[in-house]
C-alpha cells in the first residue's frame, strides 16, 4: 500500500477570537495503491484541498493518521518529514506558484536536483535537465526563458518537470488544468496520465470537472461537507452511483436540492 489515510479530521479555528471551529475534513479514510490514480471530486469548499494538504503533512491533522509506505507520518519530526517530501509532491492549479519569477527555466529545473543532491556533476545535471524537458514535451530553446515568457500550458509542463525531477512515488494534482484553455487542458491531462503510468506514480487527482475525473482516474472518491460520501471504481461511480449526492453529480438525478443549486459547483453535464 502506498498511502493509507485513517479517520482523518481537520478543524480550523475561525473568527476574530479563534473561538469558532470549522470541520473541513470529517473522519476520512481510504487507501491508494502504488501507481493508482484516485480522482477526488466535490463542490467548492467541501474540503478537497485541505485533505490533500493533510496527506502531504503540509498541515497537521486534528485527529487521525496518514501512512506512506506503512510509515505513520503523523509521528515524524520536521526533519524526517523533509526527507520523505521528495517522494510526495504536489502539482498546483497555478504553475506560476511553483516557479520562481526571476529564475530561468534551466535554473528552475536544476534546483530540485541540487537540493536533494540527485546528480553528481554539472554534466549529469545538464543531461538530466535536458531529459526532463523532453519528457514534458518542451525543447531546449525554453531553457533561457523566465516563467512570464511561457504560456499557461508550458508553465504547467515545467512545473511537472520539476516534480518529475524528484522521482516522486506519490503526487497530489490539485486542479492542475482548471486554469487552462480546453485544448491545452486535454494535452496536459494526457501528459500527466502518460508520466504517471510510465513512472508508476500514485496520484490523488482533485477536480470539479467530472469529465476530467472520468478520463484520468482508476477509482473515484466523492466528497461532500468534509466527508467521503462515496468511493468506488470509475465504472461503478459513473454507471451506478449510490449516494444521492453522487447521483446528482453524475447527472442521474435531475432534481437539484435547493442547497446544491446555490453552491458554486462547476458541472460539465
Ligand atoms: N486556513 C483556513 N482557516 C479557516 N478555514 C479554512 C481554511 N482553509 C480552508 N478553510 C475552510 O475549510 C473548508 C474546506 O476548504 P477547502 O479549501 O479544503 O475546500 P475545497 O473543496 O478545496 O474548495 P475549492 O474547490 O473551492 O478549492 C471551507 O469551509 C473553507 O472555508
Amino acid at each position: 500500500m502506498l498511502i493509507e489515510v485513517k479517520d482523518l479530521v481537520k478543524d480550523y479555528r475561525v473568527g476574530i477570537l479563534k473561538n469558532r471551529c470549522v470541520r473541513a475534513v470529517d473522519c476520512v479514510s481510504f487507501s491508494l495503491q502504488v501507481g493508482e490514480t484516485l480522482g477526488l471530486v466535490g463542490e467548492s469548499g467541501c474540503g478537497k484541498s485541505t485533505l490533500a494538504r493533510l496527506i502531504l503533512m503540509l498541515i497537521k491533522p486534528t485527529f487521525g493518521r496518514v501512512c506512506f509506505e506503512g510509515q505513520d507520518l503523523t509521528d515524524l519530526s520536521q526533519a524526517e518529514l523533509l526527507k520523505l517530501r521528495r517522494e510526495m509532491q504536489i502539482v498546483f492549479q497555478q504553475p506560476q506558484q511553483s516557479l520562481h519569477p526571476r529564475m530561468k527555466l534551466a535554473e528552475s529545473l536544476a534546483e530540485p536536483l541540487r537540493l536533494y543532491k540527485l546528480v553528481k556533476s554539472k554534466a549529469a545535471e545538464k543531461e538530466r535537465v535536458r531529459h526532463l524537458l523532453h519528457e514534458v514535451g518542451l525543447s531546449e530553446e525554453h531553457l533561457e526563458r523566465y516563467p512570464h515568457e511561457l504560456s499557461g500550458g508550458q508553465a504547467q509542463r515545467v512545473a511537472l518537470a520539476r516534480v518529475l525531477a524528484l522521482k516522486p512515488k506519490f503526487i497530489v494534482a490539485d486542479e492542475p488544468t482548471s486554469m487552462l484553455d480546453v485544448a491545452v487542458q486535454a494535452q496536459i491531462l494526457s501528459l500527466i496520465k502518460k508520466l504517471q503510468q510510465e513512472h508508476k506514480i500514485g496520484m490523488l487527482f482533485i477536480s470539479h470537472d467530472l469529465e476530467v475525473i472520468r478520463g484520468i482516474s482508476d477509482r473515484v472518491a466523492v466528497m461532500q461537507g468534509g466527508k467521503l460520501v462515496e468511493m468506488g471504481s470509475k465504472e461503478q461511480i459513473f454507471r451506478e452511483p449510490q449516494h444521492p449526492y453522487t447521483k446528482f453529480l453524475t447527472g442521474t438525478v435531475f432534481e437539484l436540492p435547493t442547497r446544491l443549486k446555490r453552491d458554486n459547483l462547476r458541472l460539465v453535464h
Side-chain angles (χ1 to χ4, degrees):
M1 199 68 68
L2 185 67
I3 298 278
E4 222 172 339
V5 169
K6 189 97 184 84
D7 302 328
L8 211 55
V9 171
K10 179 66 185 178
D11 290 334
Y12 287 116
R13 297 234 149 247
V14 293
I16 299 171
L17 301 173
K18 301 272 179 220
N19 55 355
R20 281 191 304 114
C21 209
V22 172
R23 181 151 291 189
V25 169
D26 192 359
C27 215
V28 165
S29 302
F30 69 88
S31 52
L32 186 82
Q33 308 275 3
V34 172
E36 186 188 24
T37 299
L38 178 67
L40 181 63
V41 67
E43 64 195 303
S44 180
C46 72
K48 305 181 296 297
S49 299
T50 302
L51 177 59
R53 280 159 180 73
L54 286 170
I55 298 171
L56 295 172
M57 285 289 137
L58 297 173
I59 51 174
K60 284 271 176 202
T62 310
F63 302 110
R65 63 192 169 87
V66 179
C67 293
F68 175 68
E69 295 186 314
Q71 189 170 22
D72 190 345
L73 301 183
T74 46
D75 286 344
L76 298 184
S77 66
Q78 278 306 318
E80 288 169 319
L81 266 180
L82 213 65
K83 274 191 221 150
L84 274 184
R85 203 132 284 148
R86 179 181 74 74
E87 301 183 319
M88 303 176 77
Q89 289 292 313
I90 185 160
V91 181
F92 291 105
Q93 193 173 30
Q94 287 168 326
Q96 258 72 8
Q97 277 182 1
S98 48
L99 301 177
H100 193 295
R102 284 196 291 275
M103 259 192 199
K104 286 182 182 172
L105 294 202
E107 298 163 67
S108 260
L109 291 176
E111 191 194 31
L113 299 172
R114 289 180 199 156
L115 200 67
Y116 284 94
K117 300 188 173 54
L118 297 176
V119 281
K120 292 200 170 65
S121 65
K122 267 264 170 239
E125 180 185 289
K126 257 190 155 169
E127 187 44 43
R128 181 85 178 110
V129 165
R130 213 172 292 144
H131 180 74
L132 285 166
L133 263 190
H134 289 143
E135 270 207 287
V136 298
L138 293 173
S139 66
E140 282 165 49
E141 61 155 298
H142 294 104
L143 283 174
E144 291 304 306
R145 295 207 196 167
Y146 289 97
H148 73 269
E149 295 171 323
L150 297 172
S151 69
Q154 288 170 338
Q156 197 55 288
R157 285 173 193 269
V158 177
L160 281 169
R162 269 172 61 88
V163 164
L164 272 190
L166 297 172
K167 302 193 171 162
K169 293 180 180 168
F170 171 66
I171 58 175
V172 171
D174 193 353
E175 307 240 21
T177 57
S178 60
M179 306 296 279
L180 305 173
D181 293 346
V182 177
V184 182
Q185 206 175 50
Q187 289 167 10
I188 298 294
L189 280 173
S190 46
L191 176 65
I192 292 176
K193 190 161 182 166
K194 173 177 137 309
L195 295 172
Q196 179 261 330
Q197 285 175 340
E198 274 175 15
H199 296 274
K200 295 192 171 51
I201 301 170
M203 177 161 72
L204 180 69
F205 191 101
I206 300 176
S207 182
H208 284 90
D209 189 326
L210 286 174
E211 281 310 311
V212 168
I213 290 284
R214 196 204 289 259
I216 204 144
S217 314
D218 300 311
R219 277 189 306 146
V220 176
V222 182
M223 199 166 187
Q224 189 191 20
K227 291 182 193 291
L228 289 192
V229 292
E230 189 159 9
M231 177 141 72
S233 72
K234 179 169 61 174
E235 291 73 24
Q236 274 170 340
I237 294 285
F238 283 95
R239 264 192 231 130
E240 308 143 20
Q242 298 298 318
H243 192 275
Y245 178 67
T246 316
K247 286 183 182 172
F248 157 68
L249 272 186
T250 52
T252 57
V253 171
F254 295 100
E255 204 46 55
L256 302 192
T258 326
R259 196 181 71 72
L260 289 172
K261 277 185 199 161
R262 282 199 314 265
D263 289 333
N264 171 22
L265 191 62
R266 279 179 250 151
L267 282 179
V268 277
H269 291 283

